[in-house]
């Protein structure tokens, strides 16, 4: 039986052998497309190239693209829907077209050595039936027959099923989809029987070949593109289910390890859908955080926040031994790290972000529930207590289902339509924007990668100076450009060459050690207790942002409330931004050490 890891590899090997260059997955966050929050299909990062731009890797590409679809969260947890999935795809950018695309799809599916070895007698195929934009796709149907699919297993369907486009604008075209009989006992089907079998999930779609030669603008197909492209997409989740003989990917090795952990830690779930939602949402959250999204109240950050909160709500509701979920994060990063090596360096960071969100949500829940019972409305619950609108709505629904009705829970009304809520929110945001501007500014002129790296090096340097010259060394000023960092610090004499060398060595040693850089929000008093470095003369709010640099064991000790141990190298009050792991920094070098004024020295340093 092929594992999901082996399936990915087989796919890439198959197409590499046929002249395709293998691309790594693009980030879940679209690079130059503000119209979508996440990449929802393998083709999205490739749109400019489908439209005619030259791709640096050539005209034949293959990849496994991370995708997120959160359109309808209510579907998640059935057999077919996942908020995150991996799409295997091969691409022709004005290179081969229908003939090769179809031939290779068939070969990959059915060839037992190079491909998946699926039974050709269990395959069905659909083609586009034609409309005012393009004619009936007889050409594809003929190619399918030539490779071995009998005519009566090829069905022509309308644009609704067999025209693929990413939205109202962009490259698009007719498509041809492949379906597989899950039981092996179905045999020939009339068109009506086929449609019914798909509806009942007796046969399931496993691959889609899109022949992208058209362009859509404002919902309308406006004509042909300059080149004929092929965009194929096979969901790893579905293919894995087929290959492992399961009705759903939730029962395959893509989730097995996670459910095992959940069974051990959280006991029985009263509701299988809730259990799947928890696994699905945490997996998606891990991938989102890995791609730089952090929980917040808008856009991508809000989707992430909602997924984490939904997972927690479902676990609370249906697990017999509910406890914190962040514990699962490490199992997910571990499971995926071979194929997505960035998990190795980000795992601690992901763990911390998830955990912070989970803990702050627990507090929010407790406070919000109390307020809800008092009759506070959805808007107040959100703005004053951070209690999400959806939760108020869910609570009201739950109450409505039981004996209590929304009218008689309290005298006050807290029912508010989504529209009213949004309108109030928009007004609220306009008012609060000016107030919050500049709250947690990190003091960096611009946030490009070099300055962010130098910023992290700056924290390492201050800690190293204190280690070599003594704890009385305090930062008095700092300035970072793309080329170098500058720190002013209290010290009353010139540093010796040995001292400078020692400081440099310590910083480089910490870089090599691959320490995690973790941000935490905490009460000011707690940060002071931990001895976090403060900016001279700065005034801090009650809740502060603090950056820790240390090894993973030290963070575990810190989490358990057993103090910071020896493994935390640096703690500073700071709003960021920073890189996630010191091993990204390169080599640290001090360029100059000089006096600024009596008792204050200045170091300029670079990363090479
Ligand atoms: N774009 C098509 C899909 O997402 C094929 O990759 O189904």
């Amino acid at each position: 039986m092929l594992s999901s890891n082996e399936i990915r590899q087989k796919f890439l090997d198959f197409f590499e052998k046929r002249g395709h260059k293998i691309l790594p997955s693009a980030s879940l966050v679209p690079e130059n497309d503000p119209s979508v929050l996440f990449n929802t299909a393998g083709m999205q990062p490739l749109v400019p190239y489908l439209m005619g731009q030259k791709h640096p890797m050539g005209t034949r590409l293959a990849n496994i693209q991370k995708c997120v679809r959160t359109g309808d969260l209510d579907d998640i947890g059935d057999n077919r829907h996942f908020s995150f999935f991996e799409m295997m795809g091969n691409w022709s950018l004005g290179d081969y077209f229908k003939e090769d695309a179809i031939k290779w799809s068939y070969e990959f599916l059915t060839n037992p050595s190079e491909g998946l070895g699926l039974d050709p007698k269990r395959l069905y195929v659909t083609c586009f039936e034609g409309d005012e934009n393009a004619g009936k796709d007889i050409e594809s149907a003929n190619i399918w027959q030539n490779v071995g699919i009998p005519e009566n297993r090829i069905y022509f369907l309308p644009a609704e099923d067999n025209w693929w486009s990413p939205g109202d604008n962009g490259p698009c075209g007719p498509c041809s989809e492949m379906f597989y009989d899950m039981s092996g006992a179905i045999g020939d089907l009339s068109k009506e029987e086929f449609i019914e079998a798909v509806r009942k999930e007796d046969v399931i779609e496993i691959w889609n070949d899109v022949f992208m030669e058209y362009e859509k603008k404002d919902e309308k197909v406006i004509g042909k593109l300059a080149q004929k492209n092929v965009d194929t997409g096979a969901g790893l989740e579905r293919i894995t289910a087929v290959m492992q003989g399961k009705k759903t990917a939730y029962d395959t090795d893509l989730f097995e390890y996670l459910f095992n952990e959940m069974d051990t830690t959280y006991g029985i779930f009263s509701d299988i859908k809730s259990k799947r939602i928890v696994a699905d949402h945490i997996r998606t959250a891990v991938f989102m955080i890995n791609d730089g999204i952090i929980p917040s109240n808008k856009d991508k950050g809000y989707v992430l926040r909602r997924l984490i909160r939904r997972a927690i709500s479902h676990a609370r509701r249906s697990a017999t031994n509910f406890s914190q979920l962040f514990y699962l994060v490490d199992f997910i990063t571990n499971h995926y790290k071979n194929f997505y090596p960035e998990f190795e360096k980000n795992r601690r960071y992901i763990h911390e972000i998830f955990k912070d969100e989970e803990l702050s949500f627990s507090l929010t829940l407790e406070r919000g529930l109390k307020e809800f019972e008092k009759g506070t409305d959805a808007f107040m619950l959100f703005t004053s207590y951070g209690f999400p609108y959806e939760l108020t709505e869910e609570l009201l629904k739950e109450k409505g289902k039981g004996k209590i009705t929304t009218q008689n829970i309290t005298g006050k009304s807290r029912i508010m339509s989504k529209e009213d809520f949004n309108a109030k929110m928009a007004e609220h945001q306009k008012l609060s924007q000016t107030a919050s501007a500049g709250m947690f500014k990190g003091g960096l002129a611009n946030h490009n990668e070099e300055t962010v790296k130098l910023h992290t090096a700056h924290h390492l340097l201050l800690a190293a100076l204190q280690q070599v010259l003594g704890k009385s060394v305090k930062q008095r000023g700092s300035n970072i450009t793309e080329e170098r960092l500058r720190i002013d610090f209290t010290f009353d004499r010139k540093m010796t060459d040995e001292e400078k060398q020692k400081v440099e060595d310590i910083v480089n040693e910490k870089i090599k050690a691959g320490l995690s850089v973790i941000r935490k929000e905490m009460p000011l008093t707690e940060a002071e207790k931990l001895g976090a470095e403060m900016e001279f003369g700065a005034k801090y709010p009650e809740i502060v942002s603090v950056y820790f640099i240390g090894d993973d064991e030290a963070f575990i000790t810190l989490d358990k409330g057993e103090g910071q141990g020896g493994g935390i190298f640096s703690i500073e009050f700071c709003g960021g931004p920073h890189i996630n792991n010191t091993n990204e920094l390169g080599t640290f070098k001090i360029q100059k050490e000089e006096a600024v004024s009596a008792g204050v020295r200045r170091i300029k340093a670079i990363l090479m």
Side-chain angles (χ1 to χ4, degrees):
M1 190 171 76
L2 286 182
S3 68
S4 49
N5 283 334
E6 287 165 337
I7 294 170
R8 276 198 209 91
Q9 203 52 52
K10 273 210 138 169
F11 182 86
L12 296 176
D13 291 347
F14 181 92
F15 284 99
E16 191 169 32
K17 211 172 149 197
R18 285 154 185 82
H20 294 65
K21 289 278 182 293
I22 308 304
L23 300 178
S25 172
S27 165
L28 278 174
V29 180
E31 228 175 68
N32 297 315
D33 188 352
S35 68
V36 280
L37 287 179
F38 304 102
N39 283 321
T40 57
M43 55 82 69
Q44 236 136 17
L46 292 168
V47 166
Y49 310 104
L50 294 163
M51 300 293 284
Q53 197 175 309
K54 229 170 126 68
H55 195 287
M57 300 288 276
T59 55
R60 292 184 182 195
L61 310 170
N63 65 357
I64 317 277
Q65 175 62 43
K66 301 176 275 188
C67 299
V68 158
R69 291 184 189 172
T70 53
D72 199 347
L73 287 183
D74 288 338
D75 285 340
I76 311 266
D78 68 7
N79 286 340
R80 297 273 157 261
H81 289 88
F82 306 88
S83 55
F84 168 87
F85 61 94
E86 293 170 86
M87 187 84 112
M88 306 192 284
N90 58 287
W91 311 86
S92 157
L93 303 171
D95 190 315
Y96 60 85
F97 204 46
K98 294 180 180 176
E99 179 92 33
D100 284 327
I102 289 175
K103 192 180 73 194
W104 288 333
S105 290
Y106 182 80
E107 207 180 330
F108 180 69
L109 289 176
T110 58
N111 186 308
S113 55
E114 275 189 80
L116 301 177
L118 291 176
D119 181 357
K121 291 197 201 66
R122 289 164 70 171
L123 283 175
Y124 306 81
V125 163
T126 62
C127 295
F128 181 52
E129 77 174 13
D131 65 9
E132 69 279 9
N133 295 316
K136 185 171 177 175
D137 194 1
I138 310 265
E139 189 189 349
S140 292
N142 285 340
I143 301 167
W144 279 118
Q145 279 190 57
N146 290 342
V147 298
I149 302 282
E151 194 178 357
N152 64 347
R153 299 271 183 105
I154 302 172
Y155 310 95
F156 287 95
L157 294 175
E160 203 186 323
D161 305 291
N162 281 58
W163 187 278
W164 204 92
S165 68
D168 296 341
N169 294 290
C172 61
C175 63
S176 182
E177 296 188 319
M178 290 141 265
F179 293 76
Y180 199 64
D181 161 9
M182 295 297 279
S183 68
I186 296 180
D188 290 344
L189 295 171
S190 70
K191 184 166 163 180
E192 288 66 36
E193 287 166 341
F194 168 76
I195 291 169
E196 181 58 13
V198 172
R199 200 190 57 76
K200 285 177 23 208
E201 298 182 353
D202 291 337
V203 305
I204 64 155
E205 186 215 321
I206 49 173
W207 203 346
N208 186 11
D209 287 357
V210 187
F211 307 114
M212 288 199 155
E213 55 167 331
Y214 294 89
E215 185 182 1
K216 220 179 189 185
K217 234 189 181 125
D218 301 330
E219 292 176 59
K220 286 202 171 60
V221 177
I222 54 163
K224 290 207 173 183
L225 294 167
Q227 67 190 32
K228 294 181 175 187
N229 307 293
V230 172
D231 150 22
T232 86
L236 178 71
E237 276 66 15
R238 289 183 181 200
I239 297 271
T240 303
V242 168
M243 293 309 293
Q244 298 182 3
K246 307 287 186 193
K247 218 167 161 72
T248 167
Y250 286 113
D251 294 339
T252 68
D253 69 11
L254 286 164
F255 283 95
E256 197 184 6
Y257 71 99
L258 196 52
F259 285 137
N260 286 342
E261 275 317 311
M262 285 168 66
D263 289 345
T264 316
T265 313
Y266 310 108
I268 313 236
F269 276 71
S270 58
D271 174 17
I272 177 74
K273 194 167 167 184
S274 279
K275 188 175 179 181
R276 289 176 176 184
I277 288 172
V278 172
D280 170 271
H281 287 11
I282 299 184
R283 182 174 77 141
T284 307
V286 164
F287 273 91
M288 284 184 175
I289 299 170
N290 184 46
D291 277 341
I293 301 165
I294 42 180
S296 75
N297 284 336
K298 71 182 230 273
D299 298 341
K300 302 177 183 72
Y302 185 61
V303 178
L304 170 60
R305 173 160 282 170
R306 249 192 103 191
L307 289 172
I308 295 177
R309 292 178 169 193
R310 254 184 130 236
I312 296 166
S313 305
H314 277 276
R316 270 178 187 269
R317 215 178 293 158
S318 52
T320 42
N321 296 325
F322 173 75
S323 62
Q324 308 288 2
L325 296 180
F326 66 81
Y327 155 83
L328 293 174
V329 167
D330 294 354
F331 291 94
I332 299 174
T333 50
N334 199 35
H335 178 79
Y336 281 99
K337 70 172 188 250
N338 289 338
F339 195 71
Y340 298 103
E342 64 272 24
F343 276 133
E344 188 64 69
K345 84 175 189 304
N346 290 345
R347 70 200 157 100
R348 192 69 212 168
Y349 168 79
I350 299 169
H351 178 104
E352 290 296 325
I353 296 277
F354 191 104
K355 192 180 85 186
D356 278 0
E357 178 65 10
E358 178 161 26
L359 296 185
S360 79
F361 184 54
S362 308
L363 292 177
T364 302
L365 268 185
E366 276 166 34
R367 277 184 314 188
L369 281 171
K370 268 193 214 133
E371 288 303 315
F372 175 86
E373 292 303 335
K374 286 192 213 155
T376 310
D377 75 37
F379 176 72
M380 277 297 281
L381 278 172
F382 182 67
T383 49
S384 304
Y385 302 95
F387 203 70
Y389 177 83
E390 287 75 15
L391 265 180
T392 310
E393 205 178 43
E394 266 178 36
L395 281 173
L396 284 169
K397 263 193 231 158
E398 266 174 30
K399 298 256 180 191
K401 270 189 221 149
K403 293 164 289 295
I404 326 166
T405 68
T406 43
Q407 274 79 21
N408 70 12
I409 319 169
T410 73
K412 286 188 213 165
S413 162
R414 64 195 111 158
I415 307 162
M416 184 180 283
S417 72
K418 182 89 190 162
E419 288 73 35
D420 287 349
F421 177 81
N422 285 341
K424 277 193 116 164
M425 275 309 292
E427 190 186 332
H428 173 76
Q429 269 157 1
K430 217 164 59 212
L431 292 175
S432 62
Q433 226 156 40
T434 4
S436 68
M439 264 276 277
F440 274 125
K441 255 184 30 204
L444 293 183
N446 63 34
H447 289 177
N448 75 24
E449 218 182 305
E450 289 315 305
T451 56
V452 174
K453 283 183 184 167
L454 283 162
H455 188 193
T456 305
H458 193 287
H459 282 217
L460 292 176
L461 172 58
L462 178 61
L465 284 169
Q466 290 178 335
Q467 201 166 315
V468 174
L469 306 177
K471 258 298 196 187
S472 63
V473 166
K474 290 285 161 206
Q475 179 178 317
R476 275 299 145 91
S478 88
N479 174 274
I480 295 169
T481 70
E482 276 173 47
E483 282 81 36
R484 56 115 187 98
L485 68 85
R486 195 181 79 197
I487 181 171
D488 295 347
F489 59 98
T490 52
F491 193 56
D492 55 9
R493 64 167 168 82
K494 191 175 165 56
M495 286 173 73
T496 65
D497 287 346
E498 291 77 55
E499 284 166 342
K500 281 191 272 182
Q501 188 61 50
K502 226 166 156 185
V503 167
E504 227 175 66
D505 290 348
I506 293 174
V507 173
N508 282 317
E509 183 195 307
K510 298 300 171 190
I511 291 175
K512 280 222 191 72
L515 302 180
S516 298
V517 185
I518 306 287
R519 175 176 183 270
K520 287 174 187 283
E521 280 185 9
M522 54 177 65
L524 178 62
T525 47
E526 196 181 318
E528 283 170 342
K529 230 186 282 159
L530 287 168
E533 289 302 317
M534 304 185 144
E535 204 179 306
F536 180 69
K539 262 201 129 16
Y540 292 100
E542 249 171 74
I543 301 289
V544 290
S545 162
V546 179
Y547 270 90
F548 292 74
I549 305 180
D551 60 36
D552 287 1
E553 271 87 279
F555 283 109
I556 293 165
T557 323
L558 192 69
D559 285 351
K560 289 191 194 141
E562 292 166 11
Q564 53 155 307
I568 303 275
F569 180 62
S570 151
I571 314 179
E572 285 196 36
F573 284 76
C574 177
H578 284 279
I579 50 152
N580 301 334
N581 191 298
T582 58
N583 63 17
E584 294 167 54
L585 293 182
T587 307
F588 173 83
K589 183 129 197 58
I590 293 179
Q591 282 194 313
K592 204 171 190 181
E593 191 267 344
E594 60 190 354
V596 191
S597 61
V600 179
R601 311 287 304 175
R602 170 172 291 179
I603 283 181
K604 286 185 183 161
I606 55 168
L607 289 169
M608 299 185 297

